[in-house]
Amino acid sequence: MKATARIIAVFLWVMAFGLFMSVGAARADRFDPLRDDARLHNGLLVITIGRHIERRCPTIERRKFVANGYLLGLARHAMSLGFSRAEVTAYVEDDTEQERYIALARRYFAERGVLSDGDVEGACRVGRDEIAAGSPIGRLLRGG
């Protein structure tokens, strides 16, 4: 009887461990549909770049209503993919996702000759260029 109890205990432990591991994998993949959506990805990158410009360049500021409307539109789009507001918020506030977008923004700035976060003039130049071009980033900003 003791051998049977041990087998059952080991079986239950293995099942519990397997269930725990599969839940962990499911959580790791829960953001994949959001991460893979081109509209959401590009929109969040636009917001990330615009915020960097706004924070670094004293002569450029965010168009608050336009930027908030843009962000709200992205949230609505994410919710149309079947995610709740709480899930969308969790995705946007996730440290790993924020680091990923910051790395993409740094690459964007580096491609335009801005090689450090402290390059104020470079951030201003990129901001002015985006505003002049009327790009999605430029439409979220004003000043020069």
Side-chain angles (χ1 to χ4, degrees):
M1 199 72 160
K2 283 187 173 184
T4 305
R6 281 188 202 161
I7 291 171
I8 292 172
V10 168
F11 174 76
L12 290 175
W13 185 84
V14 168
M15 291 298 292
F17 182 75
L19 181 61
F20 176 74
M21 293 306 289
S22 67
V23 168
R27 292 190 87 206
D29 297 337
R30 71 181 174 159
F31 293 143
D32 281 350
L34 295 172
R35 193 178 297 118
D36 295 339
D37 185 80
R39 178 177 170 189
L40 189 61
H41 170 81
N42 293 333
L44 290 173
L45 186 57
V46 163
I47 293 287
T48 303
I49 292 167
R51 289 187 89 194
H52 179 83
I53 292 168
E54 174 196 14
R55 288 179 176 169
R56 296 299 182 276
C57 184
T59 60
I60 295 178
E61 62 185 34
R62 167 176 54 118
R63 292 175 179 251
K64 291 177 182 149
F65 291 118
V66 174
N68 290 342
Y70 186 79
L71 196 54
L72 190 58
L74 289 175
R76 277 195 221 111
H77 173 69
M79 288 185 283
S80 78
L81 299 174
F83 290 87
S84 69
R85 177 167 284 168
E87 290 169 320
V88 172
T89 300
Y91 173 68
V92 171
E93 292 178 355
D94 182 76
D95 290 340
T96 301
E97 291 304 312
Q98 287 187 6
E99 289 172 15
R100 189 171 72 84
Y101 278 100
I102 289 168
L104 291 169
R106 283 185 177 133
R107 185 177 326 147
Y108 167 89
F109 282 105
E111 290 169 357
R112 287 153 183 80
V114 182
L115 302 177
S116 76
D117 289 343
D119 184 353
V120 172
E121 181 49 42
C124 290
R125 178 181 42 78
V126 170
R128 287 189 301 269
D129 291 349
E130 294 293 345
I131 292 168
S135 72
I137 296 165
R139 288 192 298 268
L140 299 179
L141 302 170
R142 73 168 148 235

